[in-house]
Amino acid sequence: MWCRLLERVEGVYMPYEGLDFYDVDSLLTEEELMVRDMVRDWVEDEVLPNIEKACSDGVFPDEWRVALGEMGVLGAPLEGYGCPGLSYVAYGVICQELERGDSGLRSFASVQGSLAMYPIWDFGSEEQKNKYLPKMASGEWIGCFGLTEPDYGSNPGDMITKAEDMGDHFLLNGAKMWITNGTLADIAVVWAKLDGVIRGFIVEKGDEGFSAPEMKGKYSLRASVTSELVFQDCKIPKDRIFPDIKGLRGPFSCLNNARYGISWGAIGAAQACFHSAKEYALSRIQFDQPIAAYQLVQNKLSWMLREITKAQLLSYHLGKKKDDGTWFPEQISLAKMNNVDIALDIARMARDIHGANGILDEYCIMRHMANLESVKTYEGTHDIHNLIIGRHITGIQAFTRTA
Amino acid sequence: MPNIVVLVKRVPDTNAKITVSGGSLDLSAVKFVISPFDEYAIEAALRHKEANGGTVTALTLGSDACDKVLKDAKALGVDNLVRLWNQGWENLDSNGVQSALASAIGDLGSDVVYCGKSAADSNAGSTGPGVAERLGWTSVSNASAVSFEEAGVEAMIPTSSGQARVGLNFPCVVSMDKGEMEPRRPNVRGIMMAKRAVVEVISAEAPTPTVNVVRYSPPAEKPPGKTYEGAGNVPTVVQALRNEAGVI
């Protein structure tokens, strides 16, 4: 921020200002605004100048892990054990600003906070919380979350990975796939069946029989590490099981938090595309006019503004309900599904406004578009969220066709 | 241990578009921030405390709208927040501002005062030396780096032939330029502290303004540029640069 402010004094810098048509900023607390500005400035100064290289190299820069820890935003809404203790709305605006940088960056923070720290915070023993949470909040330890398997994505209940009680230890066998942060992670929260019941386990890097090879060849989320987790007679101590939580409620409660964050994150990606499209439309001259002067382009920009504004209000209201404890999971499904859907459409429309320039890495458009293809599918696909809402409306579960 | 004061000023975001209506400034839609060079002053003050202990007090002069920049300074790590204000100070001139600040700094028992070399709104650069003059304290301006001694500071300042390292004994005033000390970012812990922080409001005497603003007017519009395309226009461009712009 600081150097940038001076560049502004010298008149060479045009800062990003988020679209805020309905003055959602006025609904945020002073603390939420300060957190938002802190993350926005960091993204502007440190992420945006380096994101294209990170994507082309296919790496998650380690200095981003350090900075997220130093800012103190990891596990944002969790309290105690060295965690920040912010509101869910603050967690939302953090996700929004991170994803304005890149969905891979927001994914890192979502997985660390909502999928790895949250289950330890909610379901872990006191010893587990004290051991892991402070180091994860500071960014010293990275976590990942193993639920999806090669053959079980939308249907995690039929997972194959299993745990056996060997008396003085557990033995894990199976494989997880599409695991964000897997290869980087110091610890993995792994869901496996023990005597046919889904239970949560903490696996540490270096545990015998555990490996996490990186998945290569992605065209999407390239600045995020995606891995397999392989357990071959993986031996873990008895104190690494979450004591009480059983069944899918465990992993699903993590997903609820992550999906809520994604609903905000998608707004950030959409804002980045809208901002770029607006600037481009105002500066690109065709037929002696900026293309922003043409009704077809204005119609597109107007549609983008409309959808971003609705998405902001949806996520803000959901955030207040998260903070009040009056939410239910189908509301999160709606926000995740809607906001990612419109963000992807906005990215595509922004590409259209940018013309041929839209495919270049000089602009953020193709990167966000490719990223959002993953975001649309992970954490409950678009279709599955429709079915969750369909079940809410009709009382009929469509995935298994049973009431 | 040193009693450190850092002066912070609330200024319009340096990117803000300032409009003038009816001969006065319209700042109603403008976002305000800490003046950029004051960020370097805060960094110097915090490093001073980290090196030698003591306390850092952020001091500003202004109405309660200025509490936000004090809270921003708190989020960076300063200890105390003090705002100096009196009714009727809306049109204080530089003389009045410097007198009031000097009086408050004396009351705070400061050993060293850091401030930005100039504020992003007026760009006058008079506050640091003006305050030092009124207090009778040693002062340097445009410091790009400072190091901390038991009873003073050493500052790197520009000279006509390069840079000089100068030593100042307490009490002293150092105005900071952009330099080697990269200002830190806030973090969540600091923001939580800022939320709970209390701003102490004090007042002082200030001389009646002797400089009054007659009216404000926006700078003249920049004339539109000229565009030439194609290699055939090179002679025309060269002629224009030589004869019209006078740059070659």
Side-chain angles (χ1 to χ4, degrees), chain A residues 283-291 294:
Chain A
S283 62
R284 172 74 175 172
I285 310 290
Q286 289 293 285
F287 307 105
D288 301 326
Q289 295 287 332
I291 61 170
Y294 297 110

Short mmCIF file of all heavy atoms in Angstrom, two decimals, chain A residues 283-291 294:
data_model
loop_
_atom_site.label_atom_id
_atom_site.label_comp_id
_atom_site.label_asym_id
_atom_site.label_seq_id
_atom_site.Cartn_x
_atom_site.Cartn_y
_atom_site.Cartn_z
N SER A 283 -11.15 2.43 -22.84
CA SER A 283 -9.92 2.86 -23.50
C SER A 283 -9.78 2.33 -24.93
O SER A 283 -9.01 2.86 -25.71
CB SER A 283 -8.70 2.45 -22.68
OG SER A 283 -8.66 1.04 -22.58
N ARG A 284 -10.53 1.31 -25.27
CA ARG A 284 -10.41 0.72 -26.60
C ARG A 284 -11.27 1.51 -27.60
O ARG A 284 -12.50 1.60 -27.43
CB ARG A 284 -10.87 -0.73 -26.54
CG ARG A 284 -10.98 -1.43 -27.87
CD ARG A 284 -9.63 -1.77 -28.45
NE ARG A 284 -9.77 -2.56 -29.67
CZ ARG A 284 -8.75 -2.87 -30.47
NH1 ARG A 284 -7.53 -2.48 -30.16
NH2 ARG A 284 -8.95 -3.58 -31.55
N ILE A 285 -10.62 2.10 -28.60
CA ILE A 285 -11.34 2.92 -29.57
C ILE A 285 -11.60 2.11 -30.84
O ILE A 285 -10.66 1.54 -31.41
CB ILE A 285 -10.51 4.18 -29.95
CG1 ILE A 285 -10.01 4.91 -28.70
CG2 ILE A 285 -11.29 5.10 -30.90
CD1 ILE A 285 -11.07 5.61 -27.91
N GLN A 286 -12.83 2.02 -31.26
CA GLN A 286 -13.18 1.46 -32.57
C GLN A 286 -14.22 2.39 -33.20
O GLN A 286 -15.14 2.85 -32.51
CB GLN A 286 -13.76 0.05 -32.42
CG GLN A 286 -12.73 -1.00 -32.02
CD GLN A 286 -11.68 -1.25 -33.08
OE1 GLN A 286 -11.92 -1.90 -34.09
NE2 GLN A 286 -10.48 -0.70 -32.85
N PHE A 287 -14.09 2.60 -34.50
CA PHE A 287 -15.00 3.53 -35.21
C PHE A 287 -15.03 4.89 -34.51
O PHE A 287 -16.09 5.48 -34.30
CB PHE A 287 -16.42 2.94 -35.32
CG PHE A 287 -16.46 1.56 -35.91
CD1 PHE A 287 -16.68 0.46 -35.10
CD2 PHE A 287 -16.26 1.35 -37.27
CE1 PHE A 287 -16.70 -0.82 -35.63
CE2 PHE A 287 -16.27 0.07 -37.80
CZ PHE A 287 -16.50 -1.02 -36.99
N ASP A 288 -13.86 5.32 -34.05
CA ASP A 288 -13.69 6.64 -33.41
C ASP A 288 -14.39 6.80 -32.06
O ASP A 288 -14.54 7.91 -31.57
CB ASP A 288 -14.17 7.77 -34.35
CG ASP A 288 -13.41 7.79 -35.66
OD1 ASP A 288 -12.19 7.45 -35.61
OD2 ASP A 288 -14.01 8.09 -36.71
N GLN A 289 -14.84 5.72 -31.51
CA GLN A 289 -15.52 5.80 -30.21
C GLN A 289 -14.92 4.76 -29.27
O GLN A 289 -14.53 3.68 -29.73
CB GLN A 289 -17.02 5.43 -30.36
CG GLN A 289 -17.84 6.38 -31.18
CD GLN A 289 -18.10 7.68 -30.45
OE1 GLN A 289 -18.13 7.71 -29.24
NE2 GLN A 289 -18.23 8.76 -31.21
N PRO A 290 -14.85 5.04 -27.96
CA PRO A 290 -14.53 3.94 -27.05
C PRO A 290 -15.64 2.88 -27.16
O PRO A 290 -16.82 3.25 -27.32
CB PRO A 290 -14.51 4.58 -25.67
CG PRO A 290 -15.23 5.87 -25.80
CD PRO A 290 -15.14 6.30 -27.25
N ILE A 291 -15.27 1.61 -27.13
CA ILE A 291 -16.33 0.59 -27.30
C ILE A 291 -17.35 0.66 -26.17
O ILE A 291 -18.47 0.18 -26.32
CB ILE A 291 -15.76 -0.83 -27.47
CG1 ILE A 291 -14.95 -1.26 -26.24
CG2 ILE A 291 -14.92 -0.94 -28.75
CD1 ILE A 291 -14.58 -2.74 -26.26
N TYR A 294 -20.85 1.91 -27.01
CA TYR A 294 -21.83 1.12 -27.77
C TYR A 294 -22.80 0.41 -26.84
O TYR A 294 -22.42 -0.09 -25.78
CB TYR A 294 -21.10 0.12 -28.68
CG TYR A 294 -20.27 0.85 -29.71
CD1 TYR A 294 -18.89 0.82 -29.65
CD2 TYR A 294 -20.88 1.63 -30.69
CE1 TYR A 294 -18.12 1.53 -30.55
CE2 TYR A 294 -20.12 2.35 -31.59
CZ TYR A 294 -18.74 2.31 -31.52
OH TYR A 294 -18.00 3.02 -32.40
#
